[in-house]
Amino acid sequence: GNVIIGNTVDLAASNQDVNGDAINVGAFRWDAASGLSQLPDLVAAPLNGAIGRATSALDISRDGSTIVGNSRGGDGRTQAVYWRASGIQALGFLPGFDTANALTTATAASGNGSIIGGQGTGGAWLWGATSGMQSVQSLLQNAGISLNGYTFSDLNDISDTGEFITGSAFNDGGGLDEFGLPRVVRGY
């Protein structure tokens, strides 16, 4: 690719937050024209500096315009974000799951970055500029698709067009599958 993303930990920093995590955890992007640059955090000092900065870049759109991942907000919660030329944008939390312990992370982007997906408290989700963050579970149920007791927990990837997604689901009903294995996790 023409753009490379990754994550850094400043091992030279002796400071640790109250959880024992390194304070300087960040994400970067690189391209031949601009070189290496740090991606911005949502805030410089979550919980007024009581805990460290933590930002991760996890995927990039095929056209290189959108990087997705997560960052700690001012309230200390980790939430899904994307970066574009205009900067960082928080995606928030799934409706109905915005609690004190909620978290989300963006794990995939469509080819042009217009559709972003991920997981967190409340399961797998998809995001679009007009629709906002929506539960994959709810989208499928509202489309009349029978889920046979499965709950969608993770979203791993999105096709370039945004038409197809991959991830994991589980069935709390238990039992054995056709191979005699516990019926818990299935890819989709």
Side-chain angles (χ1 to χ4, degrees):
N2 296 326
V3 179
I4 299 171
I5 62 167
N7 300 300
T8 63
V9 176
D10 184 357
L11 297 177
S14 59
N15 296 332
Q16 294 183 344
D17 66 19
V18 294
N19 298 315
D21 296 324
I23 289 187
N24 296 318
V25 178
F28 70 86
R29 83 179 294 280
W30 176 91
D31 66 37
S34 303
L36 187 66
S37 60
Q38 182 174 342
L39 294 170
D41 301 296
L42 279 176
V43 296
L47 291 177
N48 295 319
I51 59 175
R53 296 181 306 102
T55 297
S56 296
L58 300 173
D59 195 28
I60 187 169
S61 60
R62 183 167 306 279
D63 68 5
S65 68
T66 305
I67 299 169
V68 300
N70 59 58
S71 185
R72 279 191 181 147
D75 60 5
R77 297 184 298 170
T78 300
Q79 64 178 293
V81 298
Y82 68 80
W83 294 268
R84 292 191 177 136
S86 59
I88 189 171
Q89 176 65 48
L91 296 176
F93 303 93
L94 269 171
F97 293 95
D98 188 357
T99 63
N101 296 321
L103 65 89
T104 55
T105 190
T107 55
S110 63
N112 65 5
S114 63
I115 300 171
I116 296 171
Q119 64 252 352
T121 308
W125 52 265
L126 289 168
W127 177 92
T130 56
S131 61
M133 189 179 287
Q134 299 179 75
S135 162
V136 169
Q137 189 84 14
S138 297
L139 288 169
L140 294 172
Q141 290 171 332
N142 292 342
I145 297 172
S146 173
L147 303 178
N148 297 322
Y150 281 88
T151 300
F152 291 84
S153 55
D154 302 315
L155 191 142
N156 299 329
D157 208 356
I158 300 174
S159 65
D160 278 351
T161 61
E163 294 176 276
F164 304 99
I165 59 174
T166 63
S168 301
F170 65 90
N171 185 322
D172 282 332
L176 301 178
D177 66 14
E178 61 274 16
F179 302 105
L181 299 171
R183 188 181 322 168
V184 179
V185 176
R186 287 280 189 254
Y188 61 86

